[in-house]
Amino acid sequence: MEFLTVHGPAILFYLFAAVAVVAACFVITMRNPMYGAIALLVTFLSLASLFLLRHAEFLAFVQVFVYGGGIMVLFLFVIMLVNLHRLKESRLFGQNAPLAVIVGLLLLGLFGTLFVGMAFAPTQAAPPAFVEVDGEALGNSQAVAWSLYRDYLLPFEIVSVFLLVAMIGAVVLGRKQ
């Protein structure tokens, strides 16, 4: 029993991480888009669990509401609008399969190196739920907002512009077909 109280959070963290990785693999390998969407939802929920275990409650709720709710509804609408019979006949892994295998092996080696490095790294204490900014104790969401708009404003705005350009590009590409 003492083993579970001491190592329980670490076991849950690795369990949810493994579920997230396996579900993410199912997202890209499923031929049926509906099963892929369900695997994506499992991935989102596993990531939210990981955020909760690391005391990032705000990110966990954002993950569930924005990605698990809004983005998944959008994906389901797209899946329902796309002709599923045509997708089943198309080849998902055609001429790029060798390149995908090479990139996959490189990523696997990178993650293996990170995992081995983490196993021998000194353990860190869990981050506190409240962060002190300018002498005032802030909650999780306030600390994220404070850090985002004060310390990381320029990268936040650059990412916003990139997302806007990607969204406009997707609309332009979608209109040509």
Side-chain angles (χ1 to χ4, degrees), residues 111-132:
F111 288 134
T113 304
L114 287 174
F115 188 71
V116 169
M118 284 176 30
F120 295 111
T123 59
Q124 297 177 351
F130 292 95
V131 176
E132 189 169 318

Side-chain angles (χ1 to χ4, degrees), residues 39-58:
L40 185 63
L41 181 63
V42 171
T43 305
F44 289 154
L45 294 177
S46 298
L47 290 177
S49 302
L50 291 176
F51 287 138
L52 273 179
L53 286 173
R54 297 304 298 169
H55 301 284
E57 293 87 4
F58 176 71

Side-chain angles (χ1 to χ4, degrees), residues 31-95:
R31 295 189 74 84
N32 189 339
M34 194 59 82
Y35 293 146
I38 292 171
L40 185 63
L41 181 63
V42 171
T43 305
F44 289 154
L45 294 177
S46 298
L47 290 177
S49 302
L50 291 176
F51 287 138
L52 273 179
L53 286 173
R54 297 304 298 169
H55 301 284
E57 293 87 4
F58 176 71
L59 290 177
F61 287 118
V62 166
Q63 182 77 26
V64 169
F65 289 128
V66 173
Y67 291 102
I71 301 294
M72 281 307 299
V73 168
L74 182 68
F75 281 172
L76 290 178
F77 277 128
V78 169
I79 288 171
M80 286 190 290
L81 292 175
V82 171
N83 187 0
L84 292 178
H85 298 293
R86 218 173 75 197
L87 278 178
K88 287 179 182 176
E89 295 170 0
S90 68
R91 297 179 60 190
L92 292 178
F93 303 106
Q95 59 204 15

Side-chain angles (χ1 to χ4, degrees), residues 6 18 22 25 29 32 51-52 55 62 91 98 106 109 127 157 159 172:
V6 172
V22 170
C25 289
T29 57
N32 189 339
F51 287 138
L52 273 179
H55 301 284
V62 166
R91 297 179 60 190
L106 286 174
E157 292 297 330
V159 168
V172 169

